[in-house]
């Protein structure tokens, strides 16, 4: 298996799953000991997402939101998929403000089990659709699932390049017409890939993400760096992506 030409361990996926099995099902566990950045992370995500879709209930003090030219066309029931959802931190604090129903996808069943408690049993029972336990690269959604938005946060580094491209193709099959995929992840400040043997993941440079988006047939609608994260962490970017005819992708590359 390769990540931009570099061979990764044959046990890349097994080791990743093993690492997460030993992590506490808490916000601190999800954020590698950085629970204190959760609220600033969510604030940045809300600001980003609000460009494309309004929250279900507008906050009392309506902040001025700069709308992107591209808006997700929403119907009666809005539905999102949270990929690498863990205990549902992103779903609870972000996605449920914008979507009536959210499905969860994670490789770790005990995180998914904890999600009911973390999100709150009542809300969970009413608003969480399905909780899929699978690695992203083995996820086999049925064709009748359709989402307005697919959110992938801090999980793409657990996939090889080829599997990430396959997964992003799969996501496009389960998106409603003109739905969005959002990837929020670390990237390296250099042009290089960093690998982490501890949790069996890689951190990609920005250029490699752009390359893989093109290979996946995705157009980059907007990208933004997360502000105010502590120094010493990798920079984090949010990428909003939509399906695109191939001729437009060629011009995106040039
Ligand atoms: C850093 S945590 C982020 C959790 C959540 N997205 C958040 O921001 O709070 C990474 C999550 O990805 C999950 N994960 C790791 N490898 C995965 C894979 N191959 N497929 C699906 N989920 C995976 C882990 O179990 C863990 O819940």
């Amino acid at each position: 298996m390769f990540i931009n030409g570099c061979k990764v361990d044959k046990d890349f996926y097994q080791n990743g799953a093993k690492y997460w099995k030993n992590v506490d099902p808490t916000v601190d566990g999800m954020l590698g000991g950085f629970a204190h950045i959760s609220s600033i992370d969510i604030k940045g995500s809300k600001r980003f997402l609000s460009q494309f879709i309004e929250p279900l209930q507008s906050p009392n003090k309506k902040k001025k939101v700069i709308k992107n030219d591209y808006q997700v066309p929403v119907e009666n029931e809005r539905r999102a998929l949270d990929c690498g959802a863990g205990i549902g931190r992103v779903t609870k604090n972000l996605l449920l403000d914008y979507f009536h129903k959210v499905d969860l996808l994670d490789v770790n069943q005990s995180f998914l089990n904890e999600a009911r408690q973390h999100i709150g049993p009542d809300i969970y029972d009413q608003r969480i659709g399905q909780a899929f336990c699978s690695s992203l690269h083995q996820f086999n959604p049925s064709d009748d699932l359709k989402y307005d938005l697919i959110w992938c946060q801090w999980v793409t580094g657990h996939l090889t390049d080829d599997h990430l491209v396959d997964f992003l193709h799969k996501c496009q099959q389960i998106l409603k017409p003109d739905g969005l995929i959002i990837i929020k992840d670390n990237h390296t400040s250099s042009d290089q890939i960093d690998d982490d043997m501890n949790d069996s993941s890689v951190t990609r440079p920005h250029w490699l993400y752009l390359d893989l988006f093109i290979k996946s047939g995705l157009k980059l609608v907007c990208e933004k760096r997360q502000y105010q994260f502590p120094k010493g962490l990798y920079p984090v970017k949010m990428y909003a992506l939509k399906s695109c005819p191939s001729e437009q992708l060629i011009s995106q590359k040039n």
Side-chain angles (χ1 to χ4, degrees):
M1 289 186 295
F2 292 89
I3 295 192
N4 198 41
C6 308
K7 204 166 188 313
V8 292
D9 199 299
K10 67 176 173 31
D11 296 327
F12 182 65
Y13 288 106
Q14 231 176 312
N15 291 344
K18 215 187 277 173
Y19 170 86
W20 287 104
K21 270 209 167 113
N22 290 316
V23 170
D24 286 343
T26 59
V27 171
D28 217 30
M30 297 300 98
L31 299 182
F34 286 86
H36 57 284
I37 67 164
S38 184
S39 58
I40 190 74
D41 163 60
I42 296 292
K43 217 165 151 189
S45 299
K46 276 191 180 159
R47 192 183 282 188
F48 188 70
L49 185 55
S50 294
Q51 295 177 76
F52 308 107
I53 183 166
E54 291 210 358
L56 293 171
Q57 285 173 332
S58 298
N60 291 340
K61 276 192 271 163
K62 216 174 173 194
K63 285 209 188 103
K64 194 165 162 35
V65 174
I66 299 168
K67 285 195 175 175
N68 193 284
D69 287 345
Y70 182 74
Q71 295 290 299
V72 177
V74 281
E75 299 158 16
N76 301 340
E77 191 184 80
R78 307 177 182 182
R79 195 174 188 111
L81 175 66
D82 183 357
C83 301
I87 60 170
R89 181 188 70 89
V90 173
T91 288
K92 174 181 175 168
N93 299 299
L94 175 74
L95 299 176
L96 286 172
D97 286 358
Y98 295 80
F99 300 92
H100 298 98
K101 287 257 178 201
V102 180
D103 292 344
L104 312 175
L105 167 60
D106 200 279
V107 74
N108 187 307
Q109 184 63 58
S110 63
F111 292 164
L112 293 171
N113 294 344
E114 180 61 24
R116 187 165 184 271
Q117 225 31 58
H118 180 68
I119 291 168
D122 290 348
I123 297 178
Y124 185 98
D125 293 345
Q126 287 163 30
R127 315 258 317 267
I128 303 303
Q130 306 202 47
F132 303 104
C133 185
S134 165
S135 175
L136 263 49
H137 75 292
Q138 290 168 329
F139 182 48
N140 252 327
S142 73
D143 278 345
D144 48 328
L145 282 172
K146 293 287 173 213
Y147 297 102
D148 299 284
L149 181 109
I150 299 179
W151 188 277
C152 307
Q153 181 159 356
W154 282 320
V155 67
T156 58
H158 284 288
L159 296 190
T160 65
D161 286 353
D162 285 351
H163 283 151
L164 179 54
V165 169
D166 284 351
F167 175 70
L168 291 173
H169 276 126
K170 225 177 277 173
C171 285
Q172 292 170 76
Q173 287 164 17
I174 52 170
L175 270 183
K176 292 182 190 168
D178 292 323
L180 268 191
I181 299 171
I182 295 189
I183 292 182
K184 182 167 189 175
D185 224 310
N186 299 342
H187 65 89
T188 53
S189 319
S190 67
D191 274 354
Q192 307 297 316
I193 300 164
D194 286 352
D195 56 356
D196 184 339
M197 305 294 266
N198 184 37
D199 68 357
S200 195
S201 73
V202 294
T203 303
R204 296 181 165 89
H206 173 62
W207 70 263
L208 181 52
Y209 272 109
L210 298 185
D211 200 41
L212 297 177
F213 297 155
I214 291 175
K215 288 193 173 120
S216 309
L218 288 167
K219 179 182 160 72
L220 182 62
V221 176
C222 183
E223 69 175 70
K224 180 129 190 77
R225 184 168 170 179
Q226 168 70 43
Y227 56 87
Q228 288 175 8
F229 268 180
K231 290 207 171 71
L233 298 184
Y234 280 116
V236 170
K237 266 191 200 265
M238 292 167 272
Y239 301 101
L241 303 151
K242 71 184 285 284
S243 276
C244 184
S246 51
E247 59 285 0
Q248 286 184 30
L249 288 170
I250 291 163
S251 64
Q252 176 176 305
K253 198 171 183 182
N254 296 330

